[in-house]
Amino acid sequence: MAGPKFGSFKSENKGDSAASAAGAAAQRRDPYEVLGVGRNATEQEIKSAFRRMALKYHPDKNADDPVASEKFQEATFSYNILSDPEKRRQYDSSGFEAIEADSHELELDLSSLNTVNTMFAALFSKLGVPIKTTVSATVLEEALNGSVEIAQLHLGKSVCRKVEKQSAHFYSVDITEEEAKLGLVCRVRSTAKSKFKLLYFEPEENGGLSLALQEDSGKTGKVTSAGMFFLGFPVYRFEHNNSAAAAKDPDSAFFKRLDGFQPCEVNELKEGTHYFAVYGDNFFKSATYTLEVVCAEPFSTEKEKLRSVEAKILAKRSELSKFESEYREVLAKFTEMTSRYAQEMQTIDELLNERNAIHASYTNSPTLKRSSSDSKGKTSSKGSKSDDDQSVRKEKKSKSPMTMEASVSDEEGPNKKEKKPKERLRRKRWFNIHHLKVDKRRPC
């Protein structure tokens, strides 16, 4: 997998040799070593380690430091591997070589891109290229330093606002111990189908806030929405698969469809003040949204339904892995039978054609000779007919002048004989229709 480069859309050349790819893999450092975490690190520990490195080496803070830029890219590359359960499993089993270069998703901080690259990112996104975006380093740094404005939000009351791109609105919510036990749900939706991120921050000792949870908006019907559910039991998030990979191999995409069904890191909150934020993730426009935080007490039925349906989804994911092996086996057998069917059809056609050729060979007169003799006979008959037609025409030509002179002498009086020979010849040629009888009493 090629690490994404912030501010650039240049990717590795797919035509590179296997030797150069292996060399590049050998030069890369272990992702766990880069982020400073152990091989048994949780998803939350990996995220926290990456955020610390991103804040330290981000290009916005180290514009003229190439070493910091390389460390930032290395940390991003490592995080892209360890944050994806499938890629992490592939790396743990077989190293970098097991990770496909063309299946990775770009992950960009849009605030660090210039206008041209932002336009390219928007175009690729429209074309269906999956582009993951990160929260701006500036926003994270301001939150960590405690220099952000925080609005008070009351349970059960919604807020409708508009946030600028690559900016965030921060909110605080106070909950009691009883409300924490009953559960809390924070949901954001946008009827304008804006792209945004719902963020949850934890307070630091210095009074700042550090990012702990992040949910990207997704289309649900005619709106985009995101939610966090703190209900006291394991709740799962669902991350959609790569659409480009699904187009290449629909079968694999189907069987891996539930692989993105992963547990959330935080399942319950304690009493006290909690901090949420809505981050505008559009490429060019501001994002309009409606934010609402509710206590789960009136939704006891929904809590049980959610627990039940997610348990069924987990069971179905296990069934899919078993069904995939059965499906692959039957599909291979079907492919074999289809190939044999085509071969048998071709063999039967060849045998029948050979049989017909043998039947046709039982004759003393080859078909080719008969057809040639028939064509000669037809040609000779046509030739005799044409000769007869030519003789008839010659006879008519020889007779026509005399007949014309006789008819003219009969019809015209003695006064008409004074006409010039040229006029007479012209009339003969033009009015040589004396043999046709016309009834003058009938109108034409």
Side-chain angles (χ1 to χ4, degrees):
M1 186 181 84
K5 296 185 178 181
F6 284 61
S8 175
F9 281 90
K10 295 181 180 179
S11 59
E12 294 182 358
N13 186 3
K14 292 184 180 180
D16 290 345
S17 62
S20 62
Q27 293 176 1
R28 296 181 184 135
R29 287 204 298 155
D30 178 32
Y32 295 100
E33 180 185 346
V34 172
L35 297 181
V37 296
R39 288 191 169 268
N40 296 326
T42 64
E43 186 176 353
Q44 182 59 36
E45 290 173 342
I46 293 171
K47 282 186 177 181
S48 299
F50 170 68
R51 290 190 193 105
R52 286 194 299 269
M53 294 193 69
L55 287 173
K56 184 177 180 181
Y57 297 112
H58 197 277
D60 288 350
K61 298 178 62 177
N62 306 273
D64 300 326
D65 188 351
V67 176
S69 177
E70 289 196 6
K71 286 186 176 293
F72 179 75
Q73 293 179 17
E74 187 180 37
T76 304
F77 175 72
S78 301
Y79 176 70
N80 284 342
I81 295 175
L82 301 184
S83 63
D84 187 314
E86 179 64 20
K87 293 174 186 174
R88 184 178 180 180
R89 183 189 63 78
Q90 291 177 349
Y91 174 78
D92 289 342
S93 61
S94 305
F96 288 111
E97 295 179 359
I99 302 172
E100 298 179 356
D102 59 348
S103 66
H104 80 282
E105 298 176 349
L106 294 173
E107 189 163 354
L108 305 174
D109 179 358
L110 295 180
S111 63
S112 66
L113 301 183
N114 57 30
T115 305
V116 175
N117 283 339
T118 304
M119 290 178 64
F120 275 113
L123 176 61
F124 291 158
S125 180
K126 284 286 185 181
L127 294 176
V129 178
I131 297 178
K132 283 188 175 182
T133 56
T134 60
V135 180
S136 169
T138 304
V139 172
L140 295 178
E141 187 176 7
E142 290 176 352
L144 198 59
N145 295 333
S147 58
V148 294
E149 290 187 11
I150 303 175
Q152 183 69 32
L153 189 64
H154 300 282
L155 286 179
K157 293 186 178 181
S158 59
V159 175
C160 300
R161 293 183 66 185
K162 180 184 293 186
V163 60
E164 296 299 322
K165 59 184 179 69
Q166 287 80 62
S167 300
H169 290 164
F170 286 79
Y171 299 91
S172 64
V173 180
D174 296 325
I175 61 174
T176 63
E177 183 179 0
E178 183 67 20
E179 290 170 338
K181 289 181 180 179
L182 293 172
L184 197 76
V185 175
C186 178
R187 294 190 71 245
V188 184
R189 67 183 186 277
S190 172
T191 55
K193 298 182 181 179
S194 299
K195 292 178 65 177
F196 58 86
K197 297 179 186 294
L198 174 60
L199 311 176
Y200 174 74
F201 288 83
E202 292 179 342
E204 296 288 335
E205 294 180 357
N206 64 348
L209 301 173
S210 63
L211 182 61
L213 296 176
Q214 172 181 313
E215 289 291 336
D216 292 356
S217 62
K219 288 185 179 180
T220 52
K222 296 183 179 180
V223 300
T224 52
S225 63
M228 293 182 180
F229 301 83
F230 309 96
L231 302 175
F233 59 85
V235 178
Y236 291 78
R237 71 157 63 93
F238 183 64
E239 296 181 359
H240 295 279
N241 291 331
N242 189 332
S243 58
K248 291 181 181 179
D249 190 356
D251 288 344
S252 296
F254 167 72
F255 289 110
K256 293 180 179 180
R257 185 177 180 183
L258 296 181
D259 288 356
F261 194 67
Q262 299 295 329
C264 298
E265 294 86 352
V266 182
N267 298 316
E268 59 184 355
L269 300 177
K270 297 180 179 179
E271 65 172 318
T273 303
H274 297 273
Y275 301 92
F276 297 90
V278 180
Y279 178 81
D281 205 25
N282 283 336
F283 288 102
F284 298 105
K285 301 186 299 182
S286 57
T288 58
Y289 66 91
T290 301
L291 170 65
E292 185 178 17
V293 180
V294 297
C295 179
E297 180 181 9
F299 305 96
S300 57
T301 303
E302 285 75 9
K303 284 177 61 176
E304 294 305 318
K305 286 183 178 180
L306 180 62
R307 190 201 298 261
S308 175
V309 72
E310 290 193 339
K312 291 178 181 178
I313 292 174
L314 290 175
K316 182 58 66 177
R317 185 170 65 180
S318 300
E319 292 176 10
L320 272 182
S321 61
K322 297 179 182 178
F323 174 57
E324 182 178 9
S325 59
E326 297 175 3
Y327 173 81
R328 298 292 185 187
E329 183 179 351
V330 173
L331 182 62
K333 190 68 175 177
F334 174 77
T335 305
E336 180 185 352
M337 291 295 102
T338 304
S339 177
R340 181 179 174 183
Y341 176 87
Q343 293 176 358
E344 296 292 348
M345 179 68 74
Q346 182 179 358
T347 303
I348 291 172
D349 289 341
E350 291 174 354
L351 293 174
L352 290 177
N353 290 336
E354 184 179 356
R355 175 178 176 274
N356 292 337
I358 294 173
H359 282 182
S361 64
Y362 283 94
T363 177
N364 292 326
S365 301
T367 307
L368 183 60
K369 291 183 179 181
R370 287 208 310 269
S371 61
S372 61
S373 60
D374 293 342
S375 61
K376 287 180 180 179
K378 290 180 180 179
T379 307
S380 60
S381 61
K382 287 182 180 179
S384 60
K385 286 183 180 180
S386 61
D387 293 342
D388 295 340
D389 293 340
Q390 289 179 1
S391 60
V392 170
R393 288 174 188 166
K394 288 180 180 179
E395 290 178 2
K396 286 184 177 180
K397 285 182 180 180
S398 60
K399 291 180 181 180
S400 59
M402 295 177 61
T403 309
M404 194 67 186
E405 289 177 2
S407 60
V408 170
S409 60
D410 293 340
E411 292 178 1
E412 296 179 351
N415 298 329
K416 300 291 183 179
K417 292 180 182 180
E418 298 177 359
K419 286 189 177 182
K420 295 181 180 180
K422 288 185 179 180
E423 292 179 358
R424 188 183 301 173
L425 291 173
R426 194 179 296 119
R427 291 184 66 179
K428 286 179 183 178
R429 284 196 299 270
W430 184 253
F431 297 102
N432 191 14
I433 55 174
H434 62 278
H435 57 283
L436 299 177
K437 293 182 180 181
V438 179
D439 193 350
K440 294 182 179 181
R441 292 174 297 179
R442 288 186 179 182
C444 294

